[in-house]
Amino acid sequence: MKNIGKKLIYIVISIIISVIVFNLIQTNRVYIKAVVKKDCTVTLNYTNFKNNSSTSYKRVFRYSDKVDKVKLRLKDNVKSMNITVEKNRLDIKKITIVSGIIPFKVKSLNISESTFRIILLERIIVSLLIGFIIPLLIYDFTKWIYYRKEKFMVAVFIFIFCLPVLTMALPLNKINVFNILGEREAYNMPKFSIKSFIDKSYQGQFENWFNQKIVWNALYIKMFNSLYYALFDKSYSSNGDLIIGKDKYLYERAYINSLYFPNPYGDVHYIPHLEKVKSDLDKMTKDMKEVQDYFESKGKTFIFVITPSKADFNGDKIPDRFEVGDVTYQEYLHKIFIKSLEKNGINYVDTPDYIKAHANGKPIFAPGGIHWNDLGKMLATQSIIDELNKVSKYKFDDVKTQKSFINKFPQNEDRDLVTLLNILYLPKNYSVETLIYEPTTKPAPKIKVKVVSGSFGAGFCDGLTQSHTFKYIDYYFYINRKLITYRDFLKQDVIEDESIRNVSKNIKAASDADIIILELNDSLIGAKRGHVQTFISEIKKIMAKDKK
Amino acid sequence: MIFNSPIFLFLFVPIFFGIYFFVPTKWKNLFILIASIIFYAWGEPTFVWVALGSAFIDWLLSKLIWNAKTVLISKLWLSLSILINLGLLFYFKYFNFFIDNVNHLLTYLHLKPLGALEVALPLAISFITFEKITYVVDVYRKVGHPAKSLLDYFTYVLIFPKLIAGPIIKYHDIEAQIQQRTFDMADVKEGFFRFTKGLFKKVFIADTMAEVVDYVFSLSASQLGFLDAWIGTAFFTIQIYFDFSGYSDMAIGLLRVMGFRIMENFNLPYISKSFSEFWRRWHISLSTFIRDYLYIPLGGNRCSKPRQYFNLIVCFLLSGIWHGASWIFVLWGLYHGMFLTIDKALGIKPNKERKMPVSLQIIITFILVMFSWAIFRSQSVSQLTTFISAMFNPANNIFASHWMFTKNVIFMFILGVIISFVPSTEFYKNQISNRLSRRPLIKFCLNVALLMLVIGKISVMNFVTFIYFRF
């Protein structure tokens, strides 16, 4: 009787575990590997197993030279699926459907009911196996531990300390859980010498190398990050520069600092050296005017573009502890700067202002992204075209979009900050507006366009090329960090080695163009130095040489 | 190499214990010594030889002290040993401070300043010196005999868990364990538990407090407000306790894993009802050293009252300067010496009942101790002046550090306060501590979870990634 009771308990527990496991692995994951020839959408239409209702998901595949791998996670139990792609835009290399453990390669875009029946069977078998084996293992294991408590506990501790080193040689970073995202310096194993040991440089280099090699700890990092993200809205990732705001909006600390600091009070009248900042800004615009006149005298068009900052646009989501006043430091400097630009007759585009006027209250920044979304990029592109039509001898068509829809699967720059959180389960709590440009039919003029800009320049370079306004653009990323060449509207050649480090050479090359676009982010107005100041001073050197 | 660094946790610890458990008993001390030399040389590749050399001299001198035929000769050898130890300490720790002050004086007198000679401060020199002094003094006092072998003595001086930040152990307290100790799995387990507890205190509480403290103490006079100053001080009060006691826990834990049981260094110091009680609960090994090797030789309680007060002030002034070569530490030592003198003058003793409610006594002592930490944390006398004026100027409503208060900072502060006070309550002893000790598996699971989170935090702080750009 006693045994029957035990068996009954075992069966009940096993069934409960099986049901839990079955539900945990219910998600159908669809991997699509493809080469994207042009930005395009992929639509998945599928019917639900239970009620035969059909659902449609759209996903944008972005242009890339490489094979793009996209993972879709469908919450429903799928009965059948049909995948629609835009012709000539996407070359599908492989479709894989995974449910539970075994992946199924699918050849056709129409995936039949029988495929999903196999997947369902696999789930049932796996769930039952896990459900009935786990209780037995736990029972035996507990019994085993009971008689070896001390040894077991010590072994676990030693195991925890040893695991990082024991797994150093394994390619763990290929597994998601062990892969920490974010750029970091690469360290090599240092060469030992008595001298380097005595001056302690060996120790420092060795520790850097070692820290980088113990990939196993990525699991603990993700556990720790997940706990802090969930409980405290705090992230130590990216050197503590990620700020988690209200509704889990993410910011980079630098943008918030620019918005409110250096003054802890937020009251602009108390800002130390404000007069100096104002006079520096005025001097910069005067110099910029000289530069603009110089370019105009050579028959070139120069425009200056101010790009928005997420902290300014989504200030309401910044944690309360940062908020310090009604008028922010950035807002105040922005107004002063615009006045100065107008006073000195600079061809400028105030994209934050333009976007605020034309976005109809739609969000411009994704909660989990650093940069503007497609709508922000498109509006900025349009405002630049408006300015070019006004100040240059060329006339360009307005930007048109072929498609605009809400993307429930934010990708790339719309969730770059989310991925940098490096947590175990990435939140999927938002969607973003996604656009695809309708190329203009007007042939792009054969002119050289050069852009000197920070990271936001990529947004309008994309817009200007994808809309076929320009066929070629040379984009100098922070002058000498990277050179990205857009050619034939889409393809990008990237140079980021030592050959691009010479500032003077790059600026000389950048000034050899018909249209020169110089960009500054709103958050950097009033900064002591940056690519704008460097650009102006280098051009002034060229001007001085020309005079001689 | 510090305990909360990945290289210590994931390279040194696995290799050390991986070998240590399997080394035959007679070779264990030699292995400890070799590992300790590597541990110390990693951070102090030059000074390790000075430490070994001076320890060798002490060992020889201790033999001479022990075998001296007259007290005078014995005293002579003792003086030589103390002179060498204090000379080394002075040269490495106080020489720059001394020269700086002499130069200030010479400049004031319009004389030519002395040439600069920057001497780098070796890690752990203060702890090593004090332990070596306790050894020779105890041999001189016949409290203990000289170490039987050089290996025993070197093991005592350099054993790595207590090398960097104590506790200060006396040779005769640990001698029997150096010579013979048993391997017990329960000790190993408890040692790892204690080590994890220390890591948690350091990494989660002390380091979180440090984020706010470092910011507050970096504010200029015009940025520092009333609230900033008090919060900075309160946070530092928690930080220093969890930092130091965390380190002691780690040291005690690691030694326990190796089979050693040493004295406790902290015993809930913030529940003290007076300064004299505080020093019986805070850095116990240091206060014991001050009592046994400074206060008592100066006359202790056997001399006149004014002389006792003077001795107390001198002892704590020296204790202050032991913490660091700066006028700030002199002030800090004087501050504690002054309150201990007041305790003595008023007849306040740790176990003596007073009319004042206990909670009030604890609060007053806590606030006064907290104030002493403001002195301790200041970088200079001018910063201390700024800080004190901000603390006593409620009209200064600047609150520059308000953006630092993330939920985790507030949570860790509250947790720090709870851990500082609650373990002394009957509720904790009966309901939590006793219950946990009866459920080792729960305690074990808690420790494992804490260890994983601690490793997560240590790794994330050492795994600096930068926000990448789009390209």
Side-chain angles (χ1 to χ4, degrees):
Chain A
M1 197 62 199
K2 204 179 170 185
N3 277 343
I4 292 171
K6 270 188 180 175
K7 275 173 191 168
L8 268 175
I9 292 169
Y10 167 66
I11 290 167
V12 170
I13 291 173
S14 299
I15 291 170
I16 292 169
I17 294 175
S18 298
V19 171
I20 293 169
V21 173
F22 184 80
N23 280 292
L24 278 177
I25 60 170
Q26 74 165 355
T27 309
N28 292 314
R29 282 163 283 160
V30 182
Y31 296 94
I32 299 176
K33 266 189 170 183
V35 171
V36 185
K37 294 170 185 167
K38 284 178 184 178
D39 282 9
C40 69
T41 49
V42 173
T43 314
L44 271 81
N45 295 305
Y46 63 86
T47 48
N48 194 311
F49 206 89
K50 281 179 191 164
N51 51 17
N52 277 332
S53 63
S54 48
T55 314
S56 173
Y57 271 142
K58 275 185 183 175
R59 179 73 186 253
V60 173
F61 275 43
R62 292 290 182 197
Y63 162 77
S64 164
D65 272 344
K66 294 172 191 164
V67 174
D68 196 8
K69 188 180 173 186
V70 174
K71 185 170 77 178
L72 301 173
R73 197 180 278 262
L74 309 175
K75 283 183 181 168
D76 302 307
N77 294 317
V78 181
K79 190 176 178 185
S80 64
M81 184 187 288
N82 162 263
I83 300 172
T84 321
V85 294
E86 286 172 88
K87 276 181 187 171
N88 302 325
R89 288 188 164 226
L90 187 74
D91 176 14
I92 291 189
K93 293 285 175 197
K94 193 167 110 184
I95 303 172
T96 315
I97 300 174
V98 186
S99 173
I101 297 159
I102 309 161
F104 289 89
K105 282 179 196 166
V106 183
K107 283 176 185 168
S108 162
L109 294 180
N110 294 309
I111 305 156
S112 65
E113 236 179 283
S114 58
T115 306
F116 287 100
R117 281 192 189 282
I118 298 169
I119 288 170
L120 181 69
L121 189 68
E122 179 226 328
R123 273 172 53 202
I124 293 168
I125 294 167
V126 169
S127 309
L128 286 175
L129 276 175
I130 293 175
F132 278 80
I133 290 171
I134 280 181
L136 282 179
L137 287 176
I138 291 175
Y139 181 72
D140 281 356
F141 193 55
T142 322
K143 246 171 55 181
W144 186 83
I145 288 172
Y146 187 79
Y147 296 106
R148 299 166 182 83
K149 257 186 293 197
E150 308 286 359
K151 273 187 190 168
F152 169 74
M153 289 176 193
V154 168
V156 169
F157 271 97
I158 291 173
F159 189 63
I160 291 173
F161 288 120
C162 291
L163 215 47
V165 167
L166 293 177
T167 53
M168 261 167 83
L170 302 176
L172 286 177
N173 50 5
K174 288 186 178 163
I175 305 166
N176 251 349
V177 150
F178 298 103
N179 191 13
I180 296 289
L181 292 174
E183 294 218 334
R184 56 188 317 233
E185 215 173 312
Y187 298 101
N188 293 322
M189 170 86 149
K191 276 185 186 169
F192 181 82
S193 70
I194 301 289
K195 189 179 168 290
S196 65
F197 190 79
I198 297 290
D199 67 23
K200 299 183 198 174
S201 59
Y202 175 81
Q203 287 90 320
Q205 287 167 19
F206 183 87
E207 286 184 30
N208 285 334
W209 170 82
F210 181 75
N211 293 348
Q212 173 188 272
K213 290 299 267 185
I214 42 173
V215 187
W216 177 268
N217 284 7
L219 174 68
Y220 302 133
I221 290 180
K222 289 194 172 184
M223 277 168 61
F224 168 79
N225 284 347
S226 304
L227 186 82
Y228 265 52
Y229 176 77
L231 293 183
F232 303 127
D233 289 341
K234 167 81 183 175
S235 172
Y236 281 98
S237 278
S238 298
N239 212 12
D241 283 340
L242 274 179
I243 303 292
I244 302 167
K246 294 172 195 166
D247 300 331
K248 305 281 186 195
Y249 263 66
L250 300 176
Y251 299 89
E252 275 183 275
R253 187 197 292 268
Y255 287 97
I256 297 180
N257 284 355
S258 300
L259 193 66
Y260 293 119
F261 286 80
N263 171 32
Y265 255 62
D267 186 335
V268 287
H269 301 294
Y270 289 116
I271 295 171
H273 316 305
L274 185 62
E275 287 309 315
K276 173 87 172 66
V277 173
K278 279 156 79 174
S279 70
D280 284 354
L281 277 177
D282 205 43
K283 187 181 175 301
M284 191 173 94
T285 46
K286 277 177 187 154
D287 289 347
M288 200 186 286
K289 175 64 178 164
E290 283 179 39
V291 167
Q292 182 177 301
D293 291 345
Y294 169 73
F295 283 134
E296 279 173 3
S297 71
K298 301 263 175 186
K300 300 170 182 179
T301 304
F302 168 83
I303 63 166
F304 178 64
V305 178
I306 300 171
T307 49
S309 125
K310 183 177 179 182
D312 179 35
F313 265 70
N314 295 110
D316 56 327
K317 302 288 184 190
I318 293 174
D320 289 339
R321 63 179 195 275
F322 284 100
E323 296 203 11
V324 281
D326 294 334
V327 181
T328 64
Y329 179 64
Q330 189 175 312
E331 208 177 323
Y332 183 75
L333 287 187
H334 182 94
K335 280 179 189 160
I336 293 171
F337 192 42
I338 295 293
K339 263 188 203 170
S340 179
L341 289 170
E342 272 173 4
K343 192 178 83 186
N344 289 295
I346 305 289
N347 303 328
Y348 78 94
V349 183
D350 183 359
T351 65
D353 191 47
Y354 185 91
I355 289 168
K356 277 174 192 165
H358 294 85
N360 300 325
K362 288 181 183 171
I364 294 304
F365 289 90
I370 304 170
H371 298 110
W372 41 17
N373 61 18
D374 280 4
L375 180 63
K377 287 179 205 170
M378 191 272 280
L379 291 171
T381 308
Q382 182 59 53
S383 64
I384 290 168
I385 287 174
D386 289 350
E387 183 66 15
L388 286 173
N389 283 337
K390 207 164 74 185
V391 299
S392 75
K393 57 188 174 192
Y394 311 102
K395 292 292 164 235
F396 303 101
D397 281 351
D398 284 350
V399 175
K400 284 180 196 156
T401 52
Q402 184 200 47
K403 273 181 189 165
S404 161
F405 61 91
I406 300 298
N407 189 355
K408 290 178 183 170
F409 302 98
Q411 299 155 264
N412 306 327
E413 64 264 59
D414 287 331
R415 57 188 287 107
D416 43 14
L417 287 180
V418 170
T419 52
L420 282 174
L421 282 170
N422 284 311
I423 53 181
L424 285 171
Y425 295 101
L426 293 179
K428 294 178 169 50
N429 54 351
Y430 64 91
S431 48
V432 286
E433 178 140 3
T434 306
L435 304 173
I436 291 181
Y437 290 90
E438 176 71 56
T440 174
T441 49
K442 195 174 175 178
K446 287 181 179 172
I447 54 172
K448 289 183 200 168
V449 181
K450 307 273 172 102
V451 173
V452 174
S453 167
S455 53
F456 276 83
F460 57 76
C461 285
D462 282 353
L464 290 168
T465 47
Q466 286 172 20
S467 62
H468 287 207
T469 308
F470 298 126
K471 197 171 181 179
Y472 302 100
I473 296 178
D474 277 348
Y475 167 26
Y476 292 87
F477 181 63
Y478 287 108
I479 300 177
N480 67 340
R481 286 200 210 163
K482 281 179 194 177
L483 169 61
I484 299 125
T485 302
Y486 291 75
R487 55 185 170 85
D488 300 327
F489 304 115
L490 278 171
K491 287 181 182 169
Q492 297 168 13
D493 299 324
V494 182
I495 306 171
E496 53 181 321
D497 55 19
E498 287 305 310
S499 66
I500 199 70
R501 299 286 175 258
N502 189 322
V503 172
S504 306
K505 194 179 138 197
N506 291 347
I507 290 182
K508 201 174 173 190
S511 64
D512 176 25
D514 300 291
I515 294 173
I516 299 132
I517 301 174
L518 179 65
E519 179 267 355
L520 180 69
N521 188 261
D522 210 7
S523 63
L524 294 172
I525 296 173
K528 280 181 189 166
R529 61 186 78 85
H531 63 279
V532 171
Q533 288 93 330
T534 311
F535 179 83
I536 292 169
S537 70
E538 286 294 324
I539 296 291
K540 284 186 79 177
K541 279 183 202 165
I542 296 172
M543 284 160 62
K545 265 189 196 171
D546 277 8
K547 268 185 192 172
K548 279 181 191 171
Chain B
M1 219 184 283
I2 52 169
F3 290 164
N4 55 332
S5 63
I7 192 160
F8 178 79
L9 292 173
F10 310 118
L11 197 61
F12 190 87
V13 167
I15 294 175
F16 177 80
F17 287 111
I19 300 172
Y20 181 77
F21 291 139
F22 301 101
V23 168
T25 312
K26 62 175 179 176
W27 297 109
K28 274 193 179 359
N29 286 348
L30 181 63
F31 178 67
I32 289 174
L33 178 64
I34 293 167
S36 299
I37 290 173
I38 293 169
F39 173 87
Y40 195 39
W42 190 260
E44 290 297 343
T46 327
F47 185 75
V48 65
W49 305 112
V50 179
L52 279 168
S54 69
F56 179 67
I57 293 169
D58 281 331
W59 183 72
L60 287 179
L61 288 172
S62 71
K63 297 266 183 202
L64 292 172
I65 293 167
W66 186 260
N67 295 323
K69 285 177 181 160
T70 64
V71 177
L72 186 71
I73 294 170
S74 171
K75 206 175 252 180
L76 203 72
W77 292 127
L78 173 71
S79 306
L80 181 65
S81 171
I82 292 176
L83 204 70
I84 291 170
N85 279 305
L86 292 183
L88 280 174
L89 188 65
F90 175 81
Y91 176 72
F92 284 106
K93 194 166 179 176
Y94 302 106
F95 189 74
N96 292 340
F97 177 61
F98 174 74
I99 292 290
D100 282 351
N101 284 288
V102 168
N103 281 345
H104 275 301
L105 187 71
L106 291 174
T107 316
Y108 181 73
L109 298 171
H110 303 290
L111 295 169
K112 197 183 164 197
L114 301 171
L117 177 67
E118 287 300 316
V119 182
L121 174 68
L123 210 64
I125 184 169
S126 311
F127 286 97
I128 293 177
T129 308
F130 270 27
E131 284 188 335
K132 290 194 300 161
I133 288 175
T134 64
Y135 169 70
V136 285
V137 171
D138 284 355
V139 170
Y140 169 78
R141 287 176 177 168
K142 311 281 182 200
V143 175
H145 53 79
K148 281 183 184 155
S149 72
L150 188 59
L151 175 65
D152 285 0
Y153 182 60
F154 275 180
T155 308
Y156 156 71
V157 175
L158 290 176
I159 190 167
F160 72 87
K162 55 94 193 157
L163 185 66
I164 310 290
I168 301 164
I169 305 170
K170 292 174 192 168
Y171 178 74
H172 66 260
D173 283 346
I174 203 174
E175 186 189 14
Q177 295 179 61
I178 288 178
Q179 284 160 5
Q180 197 174 21
R181 55 190 179 277
T182 49
F183 177 79
D184 183 358
M185 203 54 92
D187 269 346
V188 179
K189 179 201 75 182
E190 285 302 326
F192 279 129
F193 283 0
R194 188 70 185 265
F195 182 69
T196 306
K197 182 181 164 188
L199 266 179
F200 175 79
K201 281 162 96 172
K202 161 76 182 143
V203 174
F204 270 84
I205 301 180
D207 288 356
T208 309
M209 297 300 100
E211 291 169 26
V212 177
V213 172
D214 292 348
Y215 180 74
V216 169
F217 280 85
S218 70
L219 291 171
S220 65
S222 61
Q223 292 170 316
L224 187 73
F226 171 75
L227 276 175
D228 293 318
W230 278 102
I231 286 171
T233 308
F235 275 55
F236 184 64
T237 304
I238 299 297
Q239 184 200 338
I240 192 161
Y241 172 49
F242 281 87
D243 195 287
F244 203 177
S245 70
Y247 202 93
S248 290
D249 284 338
M250 287 186 251
I252 292 168
L254 286 173
L255 284 169
R256 182 102 183 248
V257 175
M258 290 154 73
F260 292 93
R261 284 175 184 246
I262 60 162
M263 68 184 294
E264 289 297 328
N265 211 18
F266 290 86
N267 178 22
L268 299 169
Y270 292 148
I271 60 159
S272 304
K273 298 184 283 298
S274 63
F275 269 72
S276 28
E277 187 181 350
F278 175 78
W279 278 102
R280 288 183 184 204
R281 291 173 175 276
W282 177 273
H283 203 176
I284 299 164
S285 63
L286 176 70
S287 40
T288 312
F289 176 90
I290 291 169
R291 188 194 63 204
D292 294 349
Y293 301 92
L294 264 175
Y295 185 69
I296 292 174
L298 281 171
N301 291 337
R302 286 162 295 155
C303 44
S304 67
K305 282 277 173 192
R307 180 62 202 255
Q308 283 181 32
Y309 304 153
F310 173 77
N311 289 348
L312 262 180
I313 299 271
V314 168
C315 286
F316 276 85
L317 189 131
L318 291 174
S319 146
I321 207 156
W322 176 82
H323 283 84
S326 149
W327 287 109
I328 278 296
F329 294 111
V330 175
L331 281 177
W332 179 80
L334 279 175
Y335 180 89
H336 276 275
M338 185 184 78
F339 277 102
L340 283 162
T341 309
I342 293 171
D343 274 7
K344 205 168 228 343
L346 297 176
I348 298 170
K349 285 180 182 169
N351 299 323
K352 197 176 162 185
E353 291 232 343
R354 280 187 282 163
K355 282 178 188 172
M356 197 188 283
V358 171
S359 52
L360 196 62
Q361 291 175 46
I362 292 173
I363 291 168
I364 291 171
T365 310
F366 180 73
I367 291 170
L368 290 171
V369 166
M370 203 167 102
F371 195 76
S372 81
W373 293 132
I375 304 173
F376 193 91
R377 181 60 178 78
S378 297
Q379 296 288 322
S380 62
V381 178
S382 66
Q383 193 192 17
L384 175 64
T385 321
T386 309
F387 216 78
I388 291 172
S389 45
M391 282 176 100
F392 292 99
N393 181 15
N396 180 355
N397 60 357
I398 295 176
F399 189 15
S401 59
H402 66 110
W403 66 275
M404 302 286 300
F405 295 96
T406 46
K407 288 177 196 165
N408 67 310
V409 165
I410 298 164
F411 177 83
M412 290 303 163
F413 178 72
I414 294 169
L415 187 66
V417 172
I418 290 171
I419 299 175
S420 301
F421 291 95
V422 172
S424 64
T425 60
E426 288 304 313
F427 168 79
Y428 176 83
K429 285 174 194 161
N430 298 334
Q431 301 295 319
I432 302 175
S433 185
N434 285 350
R435 283 187 182 191
L436 264 185
S437 58
R438 285 200 299 271
R439 288 172 178 77
L441 265 177
I442 293 178
K443 201 173 163 187
F444 164 74
C445 291
L446 267 173
N447 272 281
V448 168
L450 279 185
L451 183 61
M452 284 180 176
L453 288 174
V454 166
I455 296 173
K457 186 164 183 198
I458 290 170
S459 305
V460 83
M461 304 307 261
N462 283 283
F463 207 100
V464 180
T465 57
F466 300 97
I467 290 174
Y468 70 101
F469 295 97
R470 210 193 118 188
F471 295 95

